[in-house]
Amino acid sequence: MEEALLRAVLFGTPILLATLGALLSERSGVVQLGVEGMMALSALAAFAVALALGPVPGVFLGVLVGASLGLFHGIFTVTLRANQFVAGLALSALGLGASGLLGKRYEGLPLPVPLPEGGFALLGFLFALLLHAFLFYTRMGLYLRSVGENPKAADLFGVSVDGVRYLALGVGGGLIGLGGAYLSLAYRPAWTDGMTGGLGWVAVALVILAAWRPLRALFGAYFFGLLFFLQFRLQGSVPIPSEAFAAMPYLLVILVLALSGRARAPRALGMPFERGR
């Protein structure tokens, strides 16, 4: 039982970090579907730098790459007011393609000094608490939620809608990048193409399941972590094809999303803001 709970936390940590990043972005009114590609590219950047300079600089670069991709997403969704769903899917495809191409030289290379998984797990837990406190108990959090609910009203009160959204995308991207760095520096201290394994899409679904609330995301991520642990533990011990175990978390995501129709998204989610309209 203790081992299952521990592995649930460790398996759930990258999902939690990615979910918190996407949640922060979407609270500002910007749909974030680029999580999978952002995690993959951040994981590659973190691993490449860790090989050359050490794991701690690798973590910082992973966060920086995630933040940069979040801001890059903002150029299209906030400044150019492109379709947020299309822009997010394009970002995910770009990140997956670029990481697969650039990472070929690093495949099969082990990381000499991996980072402890527990440190990332503690960070994920603390970030969930801090993000909850920020959103619901600070003035800046109120501004961010206002921008996601009614950007026109926030603009009338002098809040920079575009500035808040860029800030949310940058910080949220950094959290997503931290989740990617965890994968290649601690969870599996190596680089392999496709190592995100759909965790980014699980995070996108978990944002909806958690109703855009960090503490619900915390427990949801650990629950999915437990499912991934059971997936590996039960393979070979029960007469069920391994493909069924691999599909289990994603089938549950679809089921949960179908039953979570009452979860109310931020009112302005997906809607570009233009002053004066």
Side-chain angles (χ1 to χ4, degrees):
M1 183 63 179
E2 291 181 1
E3 181 189 2
L5 293 177
L6 175 61
R7 298 313 301 178
V9 171
L10 297 179
F11 274 118
T13 293
I15 301 174
L16 173 61
L17 291 168
T19 301
L20 293 177
L23 185 153
L24 184 61
S25 302
E26 297 199 356
R27 271 288 183 175
S28 72
V30 181
V31 176
Q32 181 55 280
L33 297 182
V35 181
E36 183 80 5
M38 295 168 71
M39 287 183 74
L41 205 52
S42 298
L44 172 61
F47 182 76
V49 171
L51 282 180
L53 302 176
V56 174
V59 172
F60 282 107
L61 190 71
V63 172
L64 180 61
V65 168
S68 299
L69 290 172
L71 295 175
F72 179 69
H73 184 49
I75 293 175
F76 295 95
T77 57
V78 178
T79 301
L80 300 179
R81 298 175 178 84
N83 184 291
Q84 296 179 8
F85 296 92
V86 174
L89 291 173
L91 179 61
S92 185
L94 174 65
L96 289 172
S99 62
L101 178 64
L102 299 174
K104 290 186 181 297
R105 59 179 294 189
Y106 297 104
E107 290 200 27
L109 298 177
L111 185 65
V113 185
L115 291 174
E117 296 176 86
F120 283 92
L122 179 60
L123 281 177
F125 181 80
L126 292 177
F127 280 140
L129 298 182
L130 290 173
L131 185 56
H132 174 80
F134 168 76
L135 286 174
F136 299 106
Y137 297 101
T138 68
R139 179 171 295 184
M140 188 60 195
L142 176 62
Y143 291 161
L144 189 144
R145 288 187 290 120
S146 300
V147 166
E149 293 289 339
N150 193 335
K152 292 182 179 179
D155 181 63
L156 289 174
F157 279 96
V159 178
S160 173
V161 174
D162 288 358
V164 169
R165 287 184 170 178
Y166 266 110
L167 180 63
L169 285 166
V171 176
L175 288 170
I176 294 170
L178 183 61
Y182 169 76
L183 289 176
S184 61
L185 301 183
Y187 177 58
R188 298 173 187 166
W191 164 256
T192 55
D193 188 17
M195 71 183 307
T196 51
L199 294 181
W201 297 114
V202 173
V204 170
L206 184 54
V207 172
I208 303 172
L209 171 62
W212 291 267
R213 292 180 174 272
L215 295 186
R216 293 185 184 181
L218 176 69
F219 293 106
Y222 293 160
F223 174 68
F224 278 107
L226 179 62
L227 287 181
F228 278 102
F229 169 72
L230 293 177
Q231 166 191 331
F232 292 113
R233 173 55 64 89
L234 296 178
Q235 283 186 21
S237 60
V238 292
I240 299 177
S242 60
E243 292 79 8
F245 282 107
M248 186 190 309
Y250 309 107
L251 292 175
L252 186 62
V253 166
I254 296 173
L255 177 62
V256 168
L257 290 179
L259 298 176
S260 62
R262 294 185 179 181
R264 189 183 70 79
R267 287 190 177 92
L269 183 62
M271 300 179 186
F273 170 71
E274 294 187 47
R275 180 174 292 178
R277 291 192 178 186

